[in-house]
Amino acid sequence: MLDLAIIGGGPAGLTAGLYATRGGLKNVTMFEMGMPGGQITGSSEIENYPGQGEIMSGLDLMQNWPAQAMKFGLKHEMKQVMQVTKNGESFNVKTEDGEIQEAKSVLLATGSVPKKAGIKGEDKFFGRGISTCATCDGFFYKGKEVAVIGGGDSALEEAVYLSKLCSKVYLVHRRDTYKAAPSTIEHMKSCENIEEVTNVISEEVIGDNMGVTGLIVKSKITGETRTLDVPGVFVFVGRDVLNEPFKQDGGSYLCDVNEQGEIIVNLKMRTSVAGIYAAGDVRIDAAKQVVCAAGDGATAAVDIIEYLG
């Protein structure tokens, strides 16, 4: 029986594996289909990870994490976990090949993925002017004009954040009303360098070999098109939480989740079920930053050691 099954091999899962094995747990397995490292390995430039003064790629940042974690005994199985179910005081972890492994505790660290806006040019220019993280990439557009697509809390909050760095922010939304909280809307409207571009359809992101040069929008009222001359487009139209392993037969979940499917945890990363934990972007109120996900993993592992003690 496993002491701990970790589902996901990004910063949260790897850090949890490091802390759990170094902290004395003897039988810890991390289930990750590909090479460990997580989504951040696809980022071309990172300069806000503490202690790393130079701009580096996500791949460079994560390259030493797996070896460090596995040095203390973390095992890596390149299998997809299909479902986790309760089995008395322990849990059954079922993988894609039908194998079932029993575990005393389980940590879900699968993260979430940004939803695509479905715009022409979105895939072509992703990472070359299209971003889904203002905190990560906003600095690269300091003093420049950018566009933000979306109308929810995240879109408006990120537009406000970018307004402090950029000369102008176009807030592009398909309606003339927002889904964000009233206080968030009020905050956004108080920013003088945010221009609301509403009741429009985002038609196409355009660019050249250097990256994005503009966003074409079409009015839903007049049908006229307009090109916003921006080198950066930030897309915030929601996220898909990768919570599938906790889905039970019948449509319920192994533990409590919110309306967005995010796992509800306390400050120790405990869920509503003893022995079940969640860390990183899959949990509620996640900051969606590498350093925060790593902190979640460490927090969870420390508590799991105590739980199993």
Side-chain angles (χ1 to χ4, degrees), residues 40-46 55-60 127-128 137 140:
I40 194 63
T41 57
S43 179
S44 59
E45 294 182 324
I46 297 171
I55 296 176
M56 60 172 59
S57 70
L59 197 60
D60 288 339
R128 296 197 300 124
D137 300 327
F140 301 114

Side-chain angles (χ1 to χ4, degrees), residues 134 146-150 152-166 168-172 184 187-188 191 193-195 234 236:
V146 297
V148 170
I149 299 175
D153 281 297
S154 293
L156 270 62
E157 288 167 2
E158 300 285 33
V160 170
Y161 175 87
L162 288 165
S163 72
K164 299 172 183 177
L165 297 170
C166 303
K168 187 171 186 176
V169 177
Y170 296 98
L171 181 58
V172 180
T184 306
H187 192 188
M188 178 273 294
C191 299
N193 62 336
I194 293 181
E195 179 182 329
F234 291 81
F236 302 106

Side-chain angles (χ1 to χ4, degrees), residues 186-236:
E186 184 179 351
H187 192 188
M188 178 273 294
K189 288 182 177 291
S190 70
C191 299
E192 294 182 355
N193 62 336
I194 293 181
E195 179 182 329
E196 298 174 63
V197 183
T198 57
N199 274 326
V200 298
I201 298 170
S202 297
E203 293 261 285
E204 182 180 359
V205 177
I206 56 175
D208 53 28
N209 292 335
M210 299 298 292
V212 169
T213 59
L215 172 66
I216 299 175
V217 298
K218 180 179 180 181
S219 171
K220 293 170 65 177
I221 299 172
T222 66
E224 293 180 359
T225 60
R226 173 187 178 187
T227 300
L228 307 176
D229 296 319
V230 293
V233 176
F234 291 81
V235 179
F236 302 106

